[in-house]
Amino acid sequence: MYKTTGFISFVLRRFTGIALVLYLFMHMWVIGSINQGPEVFNSRLNIVQTPFFKLAEIALLAAVVYHGLDGIRLLMVNWFKITEYRKSLFYAAFALSVLLVIAGGIPILLFMLEGS
């Protein structure tokens, strides 16, 4: 049961969903600090411009891409009743996610290395 693509998809979807909610709160924490003055805003902005957070942006990209593509996969399976292709669609969504994260992550890494 724990090795099926359905279970793996379920766990990854929950994990990425939680990661996106945590990002949303952190984003509101940084952007909301503009009301406390430019010093507070700039200090929080400096925190999120460190190399750690640049790598975290790649993780965020991975979460957004996988969560979105897996959501599209679920809609296709449920709306069009193509349950016999569930496993193939999971592998396709996962592979496309990996390719898109690599394509989007390389510029982030290059930008991070240039700024060092």
Side-chain angles (χ1 to χ4, degrees):
M1 175 181 139
Y2 297 116
K3 295 181 182 179
T4 65
T5 56
F7 181 76
I8 295 168
S9 170
F10 171 82
V11 169
L12 287 175
R13 197 171 46 257
R14 295 301 184 259
F15 179 74
T16 57
I18 290 169
L20 292 173
V21 168
L22 292 175
Y23 167 76
L24 180 63
F25 282 118
M26 191 175 83
H27 181 72
M28 291 187 306
W29 176 72
V30 172
I31 299 300
S33 68
I34 193 71
N35 295 327
Q36 298 172 347
E39 300 84 20
V40 176
F41 178 71
N42 287 334
S43 68
R44 289 187 184 173
L45 204 55
N46 287 335
I47 292 171
V48 297
Q49 291 177 343
T50 61
F52 171 77
F53 281 98
K54 292 297 177 194
L55 293 175
E57 284 180 5
I58 297 172
L60 173 66
L61 175 66
V64 168
V65 168
Y66 175 77
H67 198 82
L69 289 176
D70 196 53
I72 292 170
R73 179 193 68 84
L74 280 175
L75 289 173
M76 289 171 53
V77 168
N78 290 327
W79 283 356
F80 301 117
K81 307 296 183 211
I82 51 174
T83 56
E84 63 272 6
Y85 297 112
R86 283 188 319 241
K87 190 179 283 190
S88 299
L89 287 172
F90 168 77
Y91 289 128
F94 192 81
L96 188 56
S97 296
V98 169
L99 291 174
L100 289 173
V101 169
I102 290 170
I106 288 174
I108 294 172
L109 280 175
L110 292 175
F111 180 75
M112 180 184 76
L113 294 174
E114 283 179 7
S116 298

Coordinates of all heavy atoms in Angstrom, one line a residue, residues 14-106:
R14 N 0.3 16.4 -0.2 CA 0.1 17.0 1.1 C 1.3 17.8 1.6 O 1.2 18.9 2.1 CB -0.2 15.9 2.2 CG -1.5 15.2 2.0 CD -2.7 16.2 2.0 NE -4.0 15.4 1.9 CZ -4.7 15.3 0.8 NH1 -4.3 15.9 -0.3 NH2 -5.8 14.7 0.8
F15 N 2.5 17.2 1.3 CA 3.7 17.9 1.7 C 3.9 19.2 1.0 O 4.2 20.2 1.6 CB 4.9 16.9 1.4 CG 6.2 17.5 1.8 CD1 6.6 17.6 3.1 CD2 7.1 17.9 0.8 CE1 7.9 18.2 3.4 CE2 8.3 18.5 1.0 CZ 8.7 18.6 2.4
T16 N 3.7 19.2 -0.3 CA 3.8 20.4 -1.1 C 2.7 21.4 -0.7 O 3.0 22.6 -0.7 CB 3.8 20.2 -2.6 OG1 2.6 19.5 -3.0 CG2 5.0 19.3 -3.1
G17 N 1.6 21.0 -0.4 CA 0.5 21.9 0.0 C 0.9 22.6 1.3 O 0.7 23.8 1.5
I18 N 1.4 21.8 2.3 CA 1.8 22.4 3.6 C 3.0 23.4 3.3 O 3.0 24.5 3.9 CB 2.2 21.3 4.6 CG1 0.9 20.6 5.0 CG2 2.9 21.9 5.8 CD1 1.2 19.3 5.8
A19 N 3.9 23.0 2.5 CA 5.0 23.9 2.2 C 4.6 25.2 1.5 O 5.1 26.3 1.9 CB 6.0 23.2 1.2
L20 N 3.6 25.1 0.7 CA 3.1 26.4 0.1 C 2.3 27.2 1.1 O 2.5 28.5 1.0 CB 2.1 26.0 -1.1 CG 2.8 25.3 -2.3 CD1 1.8 24.9 -3.3 CD2 3.8 26.3 -2.9
V21 N 1.6 26.7 2.0 CA 1.0 27.4 3.0 C 2.0 28.1 3.9 O 1.9 29.3 4.3 CB 0.0 26.6 3.9 CG1 -0.5 27.3 5.1 CG2 -1.2 26.2 3.0
L22 N 3.1 27.4 4.3 CA 4.1 28.0 5.1 C 4.8 29.1 4.4 O 5.1 30.2 5.0 CB 5.1 26.9 5.5 CG 4.7 25.8 6.5 CD1 5.7 24.8 6.7 CD2 4.2 26.5 7.8
Y23 N 5.0 28.9 3.1 CA 5.6 30.0 2.3 C 4.7 31.2 2.3 O 5.2 32.4 2.4 CB 5.9 29.6 0.8 CG 6.2 30.7 -0.1 CD1 7.4 31.4 0.0 CD2 5.2 31.3 -0.9 CE1 7.6 32.5 -0.8 CE2 5.4 32.4 -1.7 CZ 6.6 33.0 -1.6 OH 6.9 34.1 -2.4
L24 N 3.4 31.0 2.1 CA 2.5 32.1 2.1 C 2.5 32.9 3.4 O 2.6 34.2 3.4 CB 1.0 31.6 1.9 CG -0.1 32.6 1.8 CD1 0.1 33.6 0.7 CD2 -1.4 32.0 1.7
F25 N 2.6 32.3 4.6 CA 2.7 33.0 5.8 C 4.0 33.8 5.9 O 4.1 34.9 6.4 CB 2.6 32.0 7.0 CG 1.2 31.6 7.3 CD1 0.8 30.3 7.2 CD2 0.2 32.6 7.6 CE1 -0.6 30.0 7.4 CE2 -1.1 32.3 7.9 CZ -1.5 30.9 7.8
M26 N 5.1 33.1 5.4 CA 6.4 33.8 5.5 C 6.4 35.1 4.5 O 6.9 36.1 4.8 CB 7.6 32.9 5.1 CG 8.9 33.5 5.4 SD 10.2 32.4 5.1 CE 10.4 32.6 3.3
H27 N 5.8 34.9 3.4 CA 5.6 36.0 2.4 C 4.8 37.1 3.0 O 5.2 38.3 2.9 CB 4.9 35.5 1.2 CG 4.8 36.5 0.1 ND1 5.8 36.9 -0.7 CD2 3.7 37.1 -0.4 CE1 5.4 37.8 -1.5 NE2 4.1 38.0 -1.4
M28 N 3.7 36.8 3.7 CA 3.0 37.9 4.4 C 3.7 38.5 5.5 O 3.6 39.7 5.7 CB 1.6 37.3 4.9 CG 0.7 36.9 3.8 SD -1.0 36.4 4.3 CE -0.6 35.1 5.5
W29 N 4.6 37.8 6.2 CA 5.4 38.3 7.3 C 6.4 39.4 6.7 O 6.6 40.4 7.3 CB 6.2 37.2 7.9 CG 7.1 37.6 9.0 CD1 6.8 38.1 10.2 CD2 8.6 37.5 8.9 NE1 8.0 38.3 10.9 CE2 9.1 38.0 10.2 CE3 9.5 37.1 8.0 CZ2 10.4 38.1 10.4 CZ3 10.8 37.2 8.2 CH2 11.3 37.7 9.5
V30 N 7.0 39.0 5.6 CA 8.0 40.0 5.0 C 7.2 41.2 4.4 O 7.6 42.3 4.7 CB 8.8 39.3 3.9 CG1 9.7 40.3 3.1 CG2 9.7 38.2 4.5
I31 N 6.2 40.9 3.5 CA 5.5 42.0 2.9 C 4.8 42.9 3.9 O 4.7 44.1 3.7 CB 4.6 41.5 1.8 CG1 5.4 40.8 0.7 CG2 3.8 42.6 1.1 CD1 6.5 41.6 0.0
G32 N 4.2 42.2 4.9 CA 3.4 43.0 5.9 C 4.3 43.9 6.7 O 3.8 44.8 7.4
S33 N 5.6 43.7 6.8 CA 6.5 44.5 7.6 C 6.6 45.9 7.0 O 7.2 46.8 7.6 CB 7.8 43.8 7.8 OG 8.5 43.8 6.6
I34 N 6.1 46.1 5.8 CA 6.2 47.5 5.2 C 5.5 48.5 6.1 O 5.8 49.7 6.1 CB 5.8 47.5 3.7 CG1 6.2 48.8 3.0 CG2 4.3 47.3 3.7 CD1 7.6 48.9 2.8
N35 N 4.5 48.0 6.8 CA 3.7 48.9 7.7 C 4.5 49.3 8.9 O 4.1 50.3 9.6 CB 2.4 48.2 8.1 CG 1.5 48.0 6.9 OD1 1.4 48.8 6.0 ND2 0.7 46.9 6.9
Q36 N 5.5 48.6 9.2 CA 6.3 48.9 10.4 C 7.5 49.8 10.1 O 8.3 50.1 11.0 CB 6.8 47.6 11.0 CG 5.7 46.7 11.5 CD 6.2 45.4 12.0 OE1 7.3 45.0 11.7 NE2 5.3 44.6 12.6
G37 N 7.6 50.2 8.9 CA 8.7 51.2 8.5 C 9.7 50.5 7.6 O 9.8 49.3 7.5
P38 N 10.4 51.4 6.9 CA 11.4 50.9 5.9 C 12.6 50.1 6.5 O 13.1 49.2 5.9 CB 11.9 52.1 5.2 CG 11.5 53.3 6.0 CD 10.3 52.8 6.9
E39 N 12.9 50.4 7.8 CA 14.0 49.7 8.4 C 13.7 48.2 8.6 O 14.5 47.3 8.4 CB 14.4 50.3 9.7 CG 14.9 51.8 9.6 CD 13.7 52.8 9.6 OE1 12.6 52.4 10.1 OE2 14.0 53.9 9.1
V40 N 12.5 48.0 9.2 CA 12.0 46.6 9.4 C 11.9 45.9 8.1 O 12.3 44.7 8.0 CB 10.7 46.6 10.2 CG1 10.2 45.2 10.4 CG2 10.9 47.3 11.6
F41 N 11.3 46.5 7.2 CA 11.1 45.9 5.9 C 12.4 45.5 5.2 O 12.6 44.4 4.7 CB 10.3 46.8 4.9 CG 10.0 46.2 3.6 CD1 9.2 45.1 3.4 CD2 10.7 46.7 2.5 CE1 9.0 44.6 2.1 CE2 10.5 46.2 1.2 CZ 9.7 45.1 1.0
N42 N 13.3 46.4 5.2 CA 14.6 46.1 4.6 C 15.4 45.0 5.4 O 16.1 44.2 4.8 CB 15.5 47.4 4.5 CG 15.0 48.3 3.5 OD1 14.4 47.9 2.5 ND2 15.2 49.6 3.7
S43 N 15.3 45.0 6.7 CA 16.0 43.9 7.4 C 15.4 42.6 7.1 O 16.1 41.6 7.0 CB 15.9 44.2 8.9 OG 14.6 44.1 9.4
R44 N 14.0 42.5 7.0 CA 13.4 41.2 6.7 C 13.7 40.8 5.2 O 13.9 39.7 4.9 CB 11.9 41.3 6.9 CG 11.6 41.3 8.4 CD 10.1 41.2 8.6 NE 9.9 41.3 10.1 CZ 8.6 41.4 10.6 NH1 7.6 41.4 9.8 NH2 8.5 41.5 11.9
L45 N 13.8 41.8 4.4 CA 14.1 41.5 3.0 C 15.5 41.0 2.8 O 15.8 40.1 2.0 CB 13.9 42.8 2.1 CG 13.6 42.6 0.6 CD1 12.4 41.7 0.4 CD2 13.4 43.9 0.0
N46 N 16.4 41.6 3.6 CA 17.8 41.1 3.6 C 17.9 39.6 4.1 O 18.8 38.9 3.6 CB 18.7 42.0 4.5 CG 19.0 43.3 3.8 OD1 18.9 43.4 2.6 ND2 19.2 44.3 4.6
I47 N 17.1 39.3 5.0 CA 17.1 37.9 5.5 C 16.7 36.9 4.4 O 17.4 35.9 4.2 CB 16.1 37.7 6.7 CG1 16.5 38.5 7.9 CG2 15.8 36.3 7.0 CD1 15.5 38.6 9.0
V48 N 15.7 37.3 3.6 CA 15.3 36.3 2.6 C 16.1 36.4 1.3 O 15.7 35.7 0.3 CB 13.7 36.5 2.3 CG1 12.9 36.2 3.5 CG2 13.4 37.9 1.8
Q49 N 17.1 37.2 1.3 CA 18.0 37.3 0.1 C 19.3 36.6 0.3 O 20.2 36.8 -0.5 CB 18.2 38.8 -0.3 CG 16.9 39.4 -0.8 CD 17.1 40.9 -1.1 OE1 18.1 41.5 -0.7 NE2 16.2 41.4 -1.9
T50 N 19.3 35.7 1.3 CA 20.5 35.0 1.6 C 20.6 33.7 0.7 O 19.5 33.3 0.1 CB 20.6 34.5 3.0 OG1 19.4 33.7 3.3 CG2 20.6 35.7 4.0
P51 N 21.8 33.1 0.5 CA 21.8 31.9 -0.3 C 20.9 30.8 0.1 O 20.4 30.1 -0.7 CB 23.3 31.5 -0.2 CG 24.0 32.8 0.1 CD 23.1 33.6 0.9
F52 N 20.7 30.7 1.4 CA 19.8 29.6 1.9 C 18.4 29.8 1.3 O 17.8 28.9 0.8 CB 19.7 29.6 3.4 CG 18.6 28.8 3.9 CD1 18.8 27.4 4.0 CD2 17.4 29.3 4.4 CE1 17.8 26.6 4.5 CE2 16.4 28.5 4.8 CZ 16.6 27.1 4.9
F53 N 17.9 31.1 1.3 CA 16.6 31.3 0.7 C 16.5 31.2 -0.8 O 15.5 31.0 -1.4 CB 16.0 32.6 1.2 CG 15.5 32.6 2.6 CD1 16.3 33.0 3.7 CD2 14.2 32.0 2.9 CE1 15.8 32.9 5.0 CE2 13.8 31.9 4.2 CZ 14.5 32.4 5.2
K54 N 17.7 31.4 -1.4 CA 17.7 31.2 -2.9 C 17.5 29.7 -3.2 O 16.8 29.4 -4.1 CB 19.0 31.7 -3.5 CG 19.2 33.2 -3.5 CD 18.1 33.9 -4.3 CE 18.2 35.4 -4.2 NZ 17.0 36.1 -4.7
L55 N 18.1 28.9 -2.4 CA 17.9 27.4 -2.6 C 16.5 27.1 -2.2 O 15.9 26.2 -2.8 CB 18.9 26.7 -1.7 CG 20.4 26.8 -2.2 CD1 21.3 26.1 -1.2 CD2 20.6 26.3 -3.6
A56 N 16.0 27.8 -1.2 CA 14.6 27.5 -0.8 C 13.6 27.9 -1.9 O 12.5 27.4 -2.0 CB 14.3 28.2 0.5
E57 N 14.0 28.9 -2.7 CA 13.2 29.3 -3.9 C 13.1 28.2 -4.9 O 12.0 28.0 -5.5 CB 13.7 30.5 -4.5 CG 13.5 31.8 -3.8 CD 14.0 33.0 -4.5 OE1 14.6 32.9 -5.6 OE2 14.0 34.1 -3.9
I58 N 14.1 27.4 -5.0 CA 14.1 26.3 -5.9 C 13.1 25.2 -5.3 O 12.4 24.6 -6.1 CB 15.5 25.7 -6.2 CG1 16.3 26.8 -6.9 CG2 15.4 24.4 -7.0 CD1 17.8 26.4 -7.0
A59 N 13.2 25.0 -4.0 CA 12.3 24.1 -3.4 C 10.8 24.6 -3.5 O 9.9 23.8 -3.8 CB 12.6 23.9 -1.9
L60 N 10.6 25.9 -3.4 CA 9.3 26.5 -3.6 C 8.8 26.2 -5.1 O 7.7 25.9 -5.3 CB 9.3 28.0 -3.3 CG 8.0 28.7 -3.6 CD1 6.9 28.3 -2.8 CD2 8.3 30.2 -3.5
L61 N 9.7 26.4 -6.0 CA 9.4 26.2 -7.4 C 9.0 24.7 -7.6 O 8.0 24.4 -8.3 CB 10.6 26.5 -8.3 CG 10.5 26.1 -9.8 CD1 9.4 27.0 -10.4 CD2 11.8 26.3 -10.5
A62 N 9.7 23.8 -7.0 CA 9.4 22.4 -7.1 C 8.0 22.1 -6.5 O 7.2 21.3 -7.1 CB 10.5 21.5 -6.4
A63 N 7.7 22.7 -5.3 CA 6.4 22.5 -4.7 C 5.3 23.0 -5.6 O 4.3 22.3 -5.7 CB 6.4 23.2 -3.3
V64 N 5.5 24.2 -6.1 CA 4.4 24.8 -6.9 C 4.2 24.0 -8.2 O 3.0 23.7 -8.6 CB 4.7 26.3 -7.3 CG1 3.8 26.8 -8.4 CG2 4.7 27.1 -6.1
V65 N 5.2 23.6 -8.9 CA 5.1 22.9 -10.1 C 4.5 21.5 -9.9 O 3.6 21.1 -10.6 CB 6.5 22.8 -10.8 CG1 6.5 21.8 -12.0 CG2 7.0 24.1 -11.3
Y66 N 5.0 20.8 -8.9 CA 4.5 19.4 -8.7 C 3.0 19.5 -8.2 O 2.2 18.7 -8.7 CB 5.3 18.6 -7.6 CG 4.6 17.3 -7.4 CD1 4.7 16.3 -8.3 CD2 3.8 17.1 -6.3 CE1 4.1 15.1 -8.1 CE2 3.1 16.0 -6.0 CZ 3.3 14.9 -6.9 OH 2.6 13.8 -6.7
H67 N 2.7 20.4 -7.3 CA 1.4 20.5 -6.8 C 0.4 20.8 -7.9 O -0.7 20.3 -8.0 CB 1.3 21.6 -5.7 CG 0.1 21.5 -4.8 ND1 0.1 20.6 -3.7 CD2 -1.0 22.1 -4.8 CE1 -1.1 20.7 -3.1 NE2 -1.8 21.7 -3.7
G68 N 0.8 21.7 -8.7 CA -0.1 22.1 -9.9 C -0.3 21.0 -10.9 O -1.4 20.7 -11.3
L69 N 0.8 20.4 -11.3 CA 0.7 19.3 -12.3 C -0.1 18.1 -11.7 O -0.8 17.4 -12.4 CB 2.1 18.9 -12.8 CG 2.7 19.9 -13.7 CD1 4.1 19.5 -14.1 CD2 1.9 20.2 -14.9
D70 N 0.2 17.8 -10.4 CA -0.6 16.7 -9.8 C -2.0 17.0 -9.7 O -2.9 16.1 -9.8 CB 0.1 16.3 -8.5 CG -0.4 14.9 -8.0 OD1 -0.2 13.9 -8.8 OD2 -0.9 14.8 -6.9
G71 N -2.3 18.3 -9.4 CA -3.7 18.7 -9.4 C -4.4 18.5 -10.7 O -5.6 18.0 -10.8
I72 N -3.7 18.9 -11.8 CA -4.2 18.7 -13.1 C -4.4 17.2 -13.4 O -5.4 16.8 -14.0 CB -3.3 19.3 -14.2 CG1 -3.3 20.9 -14.0 CG2 -3.7 18.9 -15.6 CD1 -2.3 21.6 -14.8
R73 N -3.5 16.4 -13.0 CA -3.6 14.9 -13.2 C -4.8 14.4 -12.5 O -5.6 13.6 -13.0 CB -2.3 14.2 -12.6 CG -2.3 12.7 -12.8 CD -1.3 12.1 -12.0 NE -1.5 12.2 -10.5 CZ -2.2 11.4 -9.8 NH1 -2.9 10.4 -10.4 NH2 -2.4 11.6 -8.5
L74 N -5.0 14.8 -11.2 CA -6.2 14.4 -10.5 C -7.5 14.8 -11.2 O -8.5 14.0 -11.2 CB -6.2 14.9 -9.1 CG -5.3 14.2 -8.1 CD1 -5.3 14.9 -6.8 CD2 -5.8 12.8 -7.9
L75 N -7.5 16.0 -11.7 CA -8.7 16.5 -12.4 C -9.0 15.6 -13.7 O -10.1 15.2 -13.9 CB -8.6 17.9 -12.8 CG -8.7 19.0 -11.7 CD1 -8.3 20.3 -12.2 CD2 -10.0 18.9 -11.0
M76 N -7.9 15.3 -14.4 CA -8.1 14.4 -15.6 C -8.6 13.1 -15.2 O -9.5 12.5 -15.9 CB -6.8 14.3 -16.3 CG -6.3 15.6 -17.0 SD -4.6 15.5 -17.6 CE -4.7 14.0 -18.6
V77 N -8.1 12.5 -14.1 CA -8.5 11.1 -13.7 C -10.0 11.2 -13.3 O -10.8 10.3 -13.6 CB -7.6 10.6 -12.6 CG1 -8.2 9.4 -12.0 CG2 -6.2 10.3 -13.2
N78 N -10.3 12.2 -12.5 CA -11.7 12.2 -11.9 C -12.8 12.7 -12.9 O -13.9 12.1 -12.9 CB -11.7 13.1 -10.7 CG -11.0 12.5 -9.5 OD1 -11.0 11.3 -9.4 ND2 -10.4 13.3 -8.7
W79 N -12.5 13.7 -13.7 CA -13.5 14.2 -14.6 C -13.7 13.3 -15.9 O -14.8 13.1 -16.3 CB -13.1 15.6 -15.1 CG -13.4 16.7 -14.1 CD1 -14.0 16.5 -12.9 CD2 -13.1 18.0 -14.3 NE1 -14.0 17.7 -12.3 CE2 -13.5 18.7 -13.1 CE3 -12.4 18.8 -15.2 CZ2 -13.3 20.0 -12.9 CZ3 -12.3 20.1 -15.0 CH2 -12.7 20.8 -13.9
F80 N -12.6 12.8 -16.4 CA -12.7 12.0 -17.6 C -12.7 10.5 -17.4 O -12.7 9.7 -18.3 CB -11.5 12.3 -18.6 CG -11.5 13.8 -18.9 CD1 -10.5 14.6 -18.6 CD2 -12.6 14.3 -19.6 CE1 -10.5 15.9 -18.9 CE2 -12.6 15.7 -20.0 CZ -11.5 16.5 -19.6
K81 N -12.7 10.1 -16.1 CA -12.8 8.7 -15.7 C -11.7 7.8 -16.4 O -12.1 6.7 -16.9 CB -14.2 8.1 -15.9 CG -15.3 8.9 -15.3 CD -15.3 8.9 -13.8 CE -16.5 9.7 -13.3 NZ -16.2 10.4 -12.1
I82 N -10.5 8.2 -16.4 CA -9.4 7.5 -17.0 C -8.5 6.8 -16.0 O -7.3 7.0 -15.9 CB -8.6 8.4 -18.0 CG1 -8.1 9.7 -17.3 CG2 -9.4 8.7 -19.2 CD1 -7.2 10.5 -18.1
T83 N -9.2 6.1 -15.1 CA -8.5 5.5 -14.0 C -7.4 4.5 -14.4 O -6.5 4.2 -13.6 CB -9.5 4.8 -13.0 OG1 -10.3 3.9 -13.7 CG2 -10.4 5.9 -12.4
E84 N -7.6 3.9 -15.6 CA -6.6 2.9 -16.0 C -5.2 3.5 -16.3 O -4.2 2.8 -16.4 CB -7.1 2.0 -17.2 CG -7.3 2.8 -18.4 CD -8.7 3.4 -18.5 OE1 -9.5 3.3 -17.5 OE2 -9.1 3.9 -19.6
Y85 N -5.2 4.8 -16.5 CA -3.9 5.5 -16.8 C -3.4 6.3 -15.6 O -2.5 7.1 -15.7 CB -4.1 6.5 -17.9 CG -4.5 5.8 -19.2 CD1 -5.8 6.0 -19.7 CD2 -3.7 5.0 -19.9 CE1 -6.2 5.4 -20.9 CE2 -4.0 4.4 -21.1 CZ -5.3 4.6 -21.6 OH -5.7 4.0 -22.7
R86 N -3.9 6.0 -14.4 CA -3.4 6.7 -13.2 C -1.9 6.7 -13.0 O -1.3 7.7 -12.8 CB -4.1 6.2 -11.9 CG -5.5 6.6 -11.8 CD -6.0 6.2 -10.4 NE -5.6 4.8 -10.0 CZ -6.4 3.8 -9.8 NH1 -7.7 3.9 -9.9 NH2 -5.9 2.6 -9.5
K87 N -1.4 5.5 -13.1 CA 0.0 5.3 -12.8 C 0.9 6.0 -13.9 O 1.8 6.7 -13.6 CB 0.4 3.8 -12.8 CG 1.8 3.5 -12.3 CD 2.1 2.1 -12.3 CE 1.4 1.4 -11.1 NZ 1.9 0.1 -10.8
S88 N 0.5 5.9 -15.1 CA 1.2 6.6 -16.2 C 1.2 8.1 -16.1 O 2.1 8.8 -16.3 CB 0.7 6.2 -17.6 OG 0.8 4.8 -17.8
L89 N 0.0 8.6 -15.7 CA -0.2 10.0 -15.6 C 0.6 10.5 -14.4 O 1.2 11.7 -14.4 CB -1.7 10.4 -15.4 CG -2.5 10.3 -16.6 CD1 -4.0 10.5 -16.3 CD2 -2.1 11.3 -17.7
F90 N 0.7 9.7 -13.3 CA 1.6 10.1 -12.2 C 3.0 10.3 -12.6 O 3.7 11.3 -12.3 CB 1.5 9.1 -11.0 CG 2.5 9.4 -10.0 CD1 2.4 10.4 -9.1 CD2 3.6 8.6 -9.9 CE1 3.4 10.7 -8.1 CE2 4.6 8.8 -8.9 CZ 4.5 9.8 -8.0
Y91 N 3.5 9.3 -13.3 CA 4.9 9.3 -13.8 C 5.2 10.5 -14.8 O 6.2 11.1 -14.7 CB 5.4 8.0 -14.4 CG 5.5 6.9 -13.4 CD1 4.8 5.6 -13.6 CD2 6.3 7.0 -12.3 CE1 5.0 4.6 -12.7 CE2 6.4 6.0 -11.4 CZ 5.8 4.8 -11.6 OH 5.9 3.8 -10.7
A92 N 4.2 10.7 -15.6 CA 4.3 11.8 -16.5 C 4.3 13.2 -15.8 O 5.2 14.0 -16.1 CB 3.2 11.8 -17.6
A93 N 3.4 13.3 -14.8 CA 3.4 14.6 -14.1 C 4.7 14.8 -13.3 O 5.3 15.9 -13.2 CB 2.2 14.6 -13.1
F94 N 5.2 13.7 -12.7 CA 6.4 13.8 -11.9 C 7.6 14.1 -12.8 O 8.4 15.0 -12.5 CB 6.7 12.4 -11.2 CG 7.7 12.5 -10.1 CD1 7.5 13.1 -8.9 CD2 9.0 12.1 -10.4 CE1 8.4 13.2 -7.9 CE2 10.0 12.2 -9.4 CZ 9.7 12.8 -8.2
A95 N 7.7 13.4 -14.0 CA 8.8 13.7 -14.9 C 8.8 15.1 -15.4 O 9.8 15.8 -15.5 CB 8.8 12.7 -16.0
L96 N 7.6 15.6 -15.8 CA 7.5 16.9 -16.3 C 7.8 17.9 -15.2 O 8.4 19.0 -15.4 CB 6.0 17.2 -16.8 CG 5.8 18.5 -17.5 CD1 6.7 18.7 -18.7 CD2 4.3 18.6 -17.9
S97 N 7.4 17.6 -13.9 CA 7.8 18.5 -12.8 C 9.3 18.6 -12.6 O 9.9 19.7 -12.4 CB 7.2 17.9 -11.5 OG 5.8 18.0 -11.5
V98 N 10.0 17.4 -12.7 CA 11.5 17.4 -12.6 C 12.1 18.3 -13.7 O 13.0 19.1 -13.4 CB 12.0 16.0 -12.6 CG1 13.5 16.0 -12.8 CG2 11.6 15.3 -11.4
L99 N 11.6 18.1 -14.9 CA 12.2 18.9 -16.0 C 11.9 20.4 -15.9 O 12.8 21.2 -16.1 CB 11.6 18.4 -17.4 CG 12.0 17.0 -17.8 CD1 11.2 16.6 -19.1 CD2 13.5 17.0 -18.1
L100 N 10.7 20.8 -15.4 CA 10.4 22.2 -15.3 C 11.2 22.8 -14.1 O 11.7 23.9 -14.1 CB 8.9 22.4 -15.1 CG 8.1 22.2 -16.3 CD1 6.6 22.2 -15.9 CD2 8.4 23.2 -17.4
V101 N 11.4 22.0 -13.0 CA 12.2 22.5 -11.9 C 13.7 22.7 -12.3 O 14.3 23.7 -11.9 CB 12.0 21.6 -10.7 CG1 13.0 21.9 -9.6 CG2 10.6 21.7 -10.1
I102 N 14.2 21.8 -13.1 CA 15.6 21.9 -13.6 C 15.7 23.2 -14.4 O 16.6 24.0 -14.3 CB 16.0 20.7 -14.3 CG1 16.2 19.5 -13.3 CG2 17.3 20.9 -15.1 CD1 16.5 18.1 -14.0
A103 N 14.7 23.3 -15.3 CA 14.7 24.5 -16.3 C 14.6 25.8 -15.5 O 15.2 26.8 -15.9 CB 13.6 24.3 -17.3
G104 N 13.8 25.8 -14.4 CA 13.6 27.0 -13.7 C 14.7 27.2 -12.6 O 15.0 28.3 -12.1
G105 N 15.2 26.1 -12.1 CA 16.2 26.2 -11.0 C 17.6 26.6 -11.4 O 18.3 27.2 -10.7
I106 N 17.9 26.3 -12.7 CA 19.3 26.6 -13.1 C 19.4 28.2 -13.2 O 20.5 28.7 -12.7 CB 19.5 26.0 -14.5 CG1 19.8 24.5 -14.3 CG2 20.7 26.6 -15.2 CD1 19.9 23.7 -15.6

